[in-house]
């Protein structure tokens, strides 16, 4: 064991000497490995960061949560022209399901309406996302209140003009003033502020609750009407724990079909979307992105492998005399083999580490300029980069190492003189 540690130490010294004595040649040879590792790890880090941000934006909802609407999260076999004729879900359907669905923990009705400007005295905050919801949304989304409270069932049903503000909206309107009980102006009328949400941080698509405000959906229904196709309504349903989701979805579809009077021979004119399906869809997309990135990066690694092989063949040629002397003094073939093989691996790992450092710098710079979107270089990705570097060095150095180990000592000394 000690002899192999000594071989590894000597190989490391030879690799460092190669870097010192032939800087340009070694740099050009390692450039392929550096670019290859940089490309692979950059792709993995970018995709991991993107996946983390997307899933983080829906983390408030449980994967078992179901969203009913006229659109599908994923591909559908139903023709587009037919999907465009699907009716929106209605408030009456939400009430019906809320009363008649077994194993239901909570259901909420949501209207997606356009952003608005909100005013308090001489302060105005523009592009505020409006969350028109029923009171159950608070439990389904697991909202966190920093000040005050959320609106209750009575306020939700009657459409009381009350609002709960996101952190940024509250600060933009009130600064350091306590907003609870203050009146803000929206839709040409006044609303009482009853709560402020905890700061969440920006989401991937700018859809953070910090820049939103929530108010009873029945009030917004009176403003927009129930037949306005621009409001894009949804019914969000959360089943009880330990419920068979497939059976729950089947019952849900049957109840809604019955309410709408859909005949047995007719297709559903609604979509039951589960967040687990969205998560699986995201996983599938990121897997494909990783695969494509790895294929492209593989070409760089191939070039890098040839570069390592080239520098090792040159190293064998330059040290032919030394190899002959080592073998004449009793060095066995495997000693010479491991010496050059370790050197190739060390060189390749050095190139890989440079690539990792470049990815880290890029991640730091990108995170700095993109603000709340954080690029993550995980320890697992760093480990993958190091292992790939070592494998490239092993593959690239095996042939030069074998050729060195098979040299005849006499011929090697004569050739090297």
């Amino acid at each position: 064991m000690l002899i192999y540690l000594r071989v590894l130490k000597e190989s490391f010294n030879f690799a460092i000497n190669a870097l010192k004595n032939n800087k340009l040649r070694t740099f050009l040879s390692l450039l392929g490995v550096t670019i290859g590792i940089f490309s692979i790890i950059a792709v993995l880090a970018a995709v991991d960061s993107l996946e983390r941000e997307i899933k983080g934006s829906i983390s408030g909802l449980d994967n078992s949560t179901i969203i009913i609407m006229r659109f599908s999260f994923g591909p559908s076999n139903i023709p587009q022209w037919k999907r465009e004729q699907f009716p929106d879900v209605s408030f009456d359907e939400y009430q019906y399901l809320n009363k008649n669905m077994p194993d239901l923990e909570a259901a909420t009705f949501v209207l997606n309406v356009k952003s608005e400007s909100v005013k308090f005295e001489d302060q105005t905050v523009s592009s505020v996302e409006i969350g028109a919801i029923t009171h159950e949304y608070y439990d389904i989304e697991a909202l966190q209140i920093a000040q005050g409270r959320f609106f209750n069932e009575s306020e939700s049903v009657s459409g009381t003009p009350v609002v709960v503000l996101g952190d940024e909206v509250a600060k933009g309107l009130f600064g350091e003033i306590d907003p609870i009980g203050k009146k803000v102006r929206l839709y040409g009328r006044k609303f009482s502020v009853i709560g402020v949400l905890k700061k969440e941080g920006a989401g991937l698509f700018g859809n953070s609750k910090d820049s939103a405000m929530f108010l009873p959906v029945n009030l917004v229904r009176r403003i927009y009407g129930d037949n306005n196709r621009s409001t894009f309504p949804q019914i969000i349903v959360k089943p009880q724990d330990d419920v068979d989701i497939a059976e729950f979805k089947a019952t849900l579809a049957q109840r809604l079909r019955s309410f709408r009077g859909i005949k047995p021979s007719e297709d559903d004119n609604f979509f039951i979307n589960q967040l687990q399906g969205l998560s699986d869809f995201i996983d599938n997309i990121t897997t494909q992105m990783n695969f494509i990135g790895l294929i492209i990066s593989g070409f760089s690694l191939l070039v890098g492998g040839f570069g390592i092989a080239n520098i090792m063949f040159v190293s064998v040629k330059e040290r032919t005399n030394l190899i002959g002397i080592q073998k004449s003094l009793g060095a066995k073939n495997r000693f010479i083999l491991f010496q050059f093989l370790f050197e190739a691996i060390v060189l390749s790992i050095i190139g890989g580490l440079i690539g990792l450092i470049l990815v880290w710098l890029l991640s730091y710079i990108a995170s700095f300029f993109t603000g709340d979107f954080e690029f993550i270089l995980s320890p697992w990705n760093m480990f993958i980069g190091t292992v790939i570097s070592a494998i490239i060095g092993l593959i690239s150095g095996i042939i030069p190492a074998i050729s060195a180990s098979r040299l005849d000592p006499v011929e090697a000394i004569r050739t090297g003189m």
Side-chain angles (χ1 to χ4, degrees):
M1 184 63 183
L2 291 176
I3 191 170
Y4 291 110
L5 290 176
R6 191 183 70 178
V7 170
L8 181 60
K9 179 182 177 182
E10 291 180 357
S11 300
F12 180 78
N13 290 332
F14 278 125
I16 297 302
N17 287 332
L19 285 170
K20 290 180 178 179
N21 299 330
N22 304 283
K23 295 182 179 65
L24 181 60
R25 185 185 72 188
T26 307
F27 169 76
L28 293 175
S29 299
L30 297 184
L31 188 60
V33 174
T34 299
I35 294 174
I37 295 299
F38 171 83
S39 303
I40 287 178
I41 304 306
V43 168
L44 292 176
V47 173
D48 285 352
S49 302
L50 183 64
E51 182 179 15
R52 174 178 175 271
E53 193 71 19
I54 292 174
K55 290 188 174 180
S57 66
I58 61 173
S59 62
L61 295 172
D62 188 271
N63 275 345
S64 64
T65 301
I66 293 169
I67 300 177
I68 310 167
M69 54 186 175
R70 61 184 171 94
F71 296 107
S72 173
F73 281 171
S76 172
N77 294 325
I78 300 175
Q80 183 176 352
W81 65 268
K82 195 171 184 178
R83 297 199 304 268
E84 290 174 351
Q85 297 177 3
F86 283 3
D88 280 318
V89 293
S90 67
F91 188 80
D92 290 339
E93 289 170 337
Y94 146 73
Q95 290 182 310
Y96 172 78
L97 293 175
N98 213 5
K99 294 177 181 178
N100 294 279
M101 266 301 297
D103 302 319
L104 178 68
E105 182 173 324
T108 183
F109 185 74
V110 179
L111 283 183
N112 290 278
V113 296
K114 65 185 182 71
S115 300
E116 298 285 347
S117 294
V118 185
K119 295 182 179 180
F120 171 71
E121 295 180 350
D122 60 343
Q123 298 296 320
T124 301
V125 177
S126 303
S127 301
V128 177
E129 295 179 20
I130 306 299
I133 55 178
T134 57
H135 65 284
E136 298 97 338
Y137 186 86
Y138 175 78
D139 296 317
I140 293 177
E141 180 73 18
L143 298 177
Q144 295 183 330
I145 299 292
Q147 294 176 261
R149 62 178 179 86
F150 205 74
F151 51 83
N152 55 38
E153 182 177 2
S154 175
E155 292 166 330
S156 176
V157 172
S158 63
T160 305
V162 292
V163 292
V164 177
L165 304 179
D167 180 78
E168 288 183 9
V169 179
K171 289 180 178 176
L173 291 174
F174 300 101
E176 299 301 321
I177 302 173
D178 184 2
I180 306 301
K182 301 294 190 300
K183 302 283 187 179
V184 297
R185 182 166 288 275
L186 173 69
Y187 294 131
R189 63 186 72 188
K190 291 183 178 181
F191 290 76
S192 295
V193 179
I194 61 172
V196 177
L197 298 177
K198 286 185 178 180
K199 184 175 178 59
E200 183 182 68
L204 175 63
F205 305 107
N207 57 346
S208 169
K209 296 178 184 63
D210 294 342
S211 58
M213 60 186 299
F214 296 92
L215 55 157
V217 70
N218 280 346
L219 189 150
V220 180
R221 286 176 60 215
R222 292 198 292 266
I223 296 171
Y224 279 88
D226 283 332
N227 298 312
N228 192 326
R229 296 283 280 188
S230 68
T231 57
F232 182 30
Q234 312 169 42
I235 299 173
I236 302 177
V237 174
K238 184 177 181 181
Q240 293 178 355
D241 295 337
D242 303 322
V243 168
D244 187 316
I245 296 298
E247 183 177 338
F248 182 86
K249 290 168 67 176
T251 303
L252 185 61
Q254 187 274 326
R255 292 283 197 278
L256 193 52
R257 285 176 62 89
S258 175
F259 187 87
R260 290 190 172 188
I262 300 175
K263 298 177 181 178
S265 59
E266 297 176 338
D267 294 328
D268 295 341
N269 58 1
F270 54 86
F271 287 103
I272 296 177
N273 300 292
Q274 187 182 352
L275 281 188
Q276 180 61 54
L278 178 60
S279 296
D280 293 341
F281 180 72
I282 293 170
D283 289 339
N284 183 49
I285 294 297
T286 53
T287 299
Q288 292 181 24
M289 292 171 64
N290 275 329
F291 178 74
I292 294 172
L294 292 176
I295 292 296
I296 296 173
S297 304
F299 288 104
S300 298
L301 282 177
L302 184 63
V303 174
F306 284 124
I308 295 293
N310 175 67
I311 196 173
M312 291 312 300
F313 275 119
V314 172
S315 183
V316 170
K317 186 174 181 62
E318 290 178 342
R319 285 153 46 192
T320 300
N321 184 265
L322 179 59
I323 294 170
I325 294 173
Q326 286 178 322
K327 298 192 76 173
S328 66
L329 294 175
K332 294 183 179 180
N333 287 351
R334 67 171 179 270
F335 179 87
I336 305 298
L337 174 72
F338 283 121
Q339 186 181 64
F340 283 91
L341 203 55
F342 287 161
E343 183 176 343
I345 293 173
V346 168
L347 282 171
S348 185
I349 289 176
I350 290 173
L353 290 176
I354 296 172
L356 287 173
I357 292 172
L358 292 176
V359 174
W360 179 81
L361 288 173
L362 180 65
S363 300
Y364 180 80
I365 295 171
S367 297
F368 178 79
F369 282 105
T370 54
D372 291 295
F373 184 81
E374 185 179 5
F375 286 86
I376 303 297
L377 178 59
S378 67
W380 174 247
N381 284 339
M382 295 175 68
F383 173 75
I384 289 175
T386 306
V387 170
I388 292 176
S389 300
I391 292 173
I392 293 298
L394 180 66
I395 295 173
S396 303
I398 189 68
I399 295 178
I402 290 174
S403 66
S405 67
R406 291 179 177 177
L407 287 175
D408 178 83
V410 177
E411 288 297 323
I413 293 173
R414 182 185 296 119
T415 302
M417 293 179 64

